[in-house]
Amino acid sequence: MLFFTQCFGAVLDLIHLRFQHYKAKRVFSAAGQLVCVVNPTHSLKYAPTRCAAVQTSAEQGVLPPCHHHEAVHDPQLVPCMCPLFSCPWEGHLEVVVSHLRQTHHINILQGAEIVFLATDMHLPAPTDWIIMHSCLGHQFLLVLRKQEKYEGHPQFFATMMLIGTPTQADNFTYRLELNRNQRRLKWEATPRSVLERVDSVISDGDCLVLNTSLAQLFSDNGSLAIGIAITTSKVHNTEAEV
């Protein structure tokens, strides 16, 4: 009976995921867009110190012991972003993708246009939804965070960041789109580099910001579907033609 119950529960979960995929594809008119269901991750209390884990290709996945007196303050080190406040890892740009995939099993999607389906939007803040997006020869990080910017008033912040330098980020434009019940909301901007830190982007308000009522307006049964499109910027295209 226990085995039957477990199998039946797994089947119900599979049916639920398929239904979520169907709803997201139905909301966005572009047929064939890849839909990724992203589960929430709770952020833990921020650790006051970080231990630098500068990995080489032969040392990936090895985290050295943390000693407060040996803290490295290298501006080129990128903190871990999954979840944003719990993992003490830091490393250079070339090993960020491998850390997120190997340590935190973050999904990476291919293609210029995808649908990001965040589940369980009702969970209390702080909560993060994170995926990696690979297209146009680069990797991007989409972060959706639920956070109380003002006490008792949670908001949702969504941004796309390039796993690269600020100069490289200037070559691209990303678009986030919400589309439901004959309503459409778009945010279009140049992605920021992960070197600039997600916290800074949220503090500056340079991202898609939704209050709770607006998020509920575009959500469906506790899930929020965000269409994502990345293109090269006009400046970059002009330079390529020259």
Side-chain angles (χ1 to χ4, degrees), residues 178-231:
L178 304 177
N179 189 349
R180 185 172 182 267
N181 292 338
Q182 299 180 343
R183 297 177 177 87
R184 180 174 296 180
L185 179 64
K186 290 184 180 181
W187 167 268
E188 186 170 295
T190 299
R192 302 275 287 272
S193 165
V194 292
L195 292 174
E196 300 179 64
R197 309 293 195 268
V198 173
D199 288 339
S200 298
V201 176
I202 293 177
S203 298
D204 295 342
D206 187 15
C207 56
L208 174 64
V209 182
L210 304 172
N211 57 32
T212 303
S213 59
L214 192 58
Q216 290 176 348
L217 189 64
F218 284 98
S219 65
D220 185 5
N221 195 27
S223 297
L224 185 68
I226 305 176
I228 306 168
I230 299 177
T231 58

Side-chain angles (χ1 to χ4, degrees), residues 43-241:
S43 294
L44 302 180
K45 186 177 181 179
Y46 181 77
T49 59
R50 286 182 179 271
C51 175
V54 183
Q55 296 177 324
T56 64
S57 58
E59 298 173 336
Q60 290 182 7
V62 179
L63 183 65
C66 185
H67 303 286
H68 296 293
H69 62 280
E70 296 178 356
V72 178
H73 302 285
D74 187 340
Q76 297 303 311
L77 290 179
V78 182
C80 179
M81 299 181 184
C82 178
L84 298 175
F85 293 145
S86 66
C87 180
W89 182 93
E90 285 186 341
H92 289 287
L93 284 173
E94 59 269 18
V95 294
V96 170
V97 174
S98 61
H99 170 74
L100 292 175
R101 297 197 68 181
Q102 295 173 12
T103 304
H104 300 292
H105 309 290
I106 296 298
N107 291 328
I108 184 167
L109 303 179
Q110 305 283 340
E113 296 187 8
I114 62 174
V115 175
F116 176 95
L117 185 63
T119 64
D120 300 323
M121 302 294 294
H122 61 279
L123 291 178
T127 304
D128 302 311
W129 294 260
I130 303 175
I131 62 167
M132 286 189 290
H133 185 186
S134 178
C135 70
L136 302 175
H138 289 78
Q139 282 74 43
F140 299 82
L141 191 70
L142 177 67
V143 178
L144 173 65
R145 177 187 285 186
K146 184 177 183 180
Q147 176 178 304
E148 288 190 358
K149 195 166 185 178
Y150 304 101
E151 186 176 356
H153 298 281
Q155 294 178 305
F156 293 88
F157 304 86
T159 186
M160 179 73 75
M161 307 191 75
L162 175 72
I163 302 178
T165 65
T167 301
Q168 292 173 322
D170 288 339
N171 294 327
F172 300 95
T173 298
Y174 75 94
R175 185 180 73 247
L176 304 179
E177 180 179 337
L178 304 177
N179 189 349
R180 185 172 182 267
N181 292 338
Q182 299 180 343
R183 297 177 177 87
R184 180 174 296 180
L185 179 64
K186 290 184 180 181
W187 167 268
E188 186 170 295
T190 299
R192 302 275 287 272
S193 165
V194 292
L195 292 174
E196 300 179 64
R197 309 293 195 268
V198 173
D199 288 339
S200 298
V201 176
I202 293 177
S203 298
D204 295 342
D206 187 15
C207 56
L208 174 64
V209 182
L210 304 172
N211 57 32
T212 303
S213 59
L214 192 58
Q216 290 176 348
L217 189 64
F218 284 98
S219 65
D220 185 5
N221 195 27
S223 297
L224 185 68
I226 305 176
I228 306 168
I230 299 177
T231 58
T232 54
S233 64
K234 294 180 180 179
V235 174
H236 184 257
N237 287 335
T238 303
E239 292 176 350
E241 291 176 0

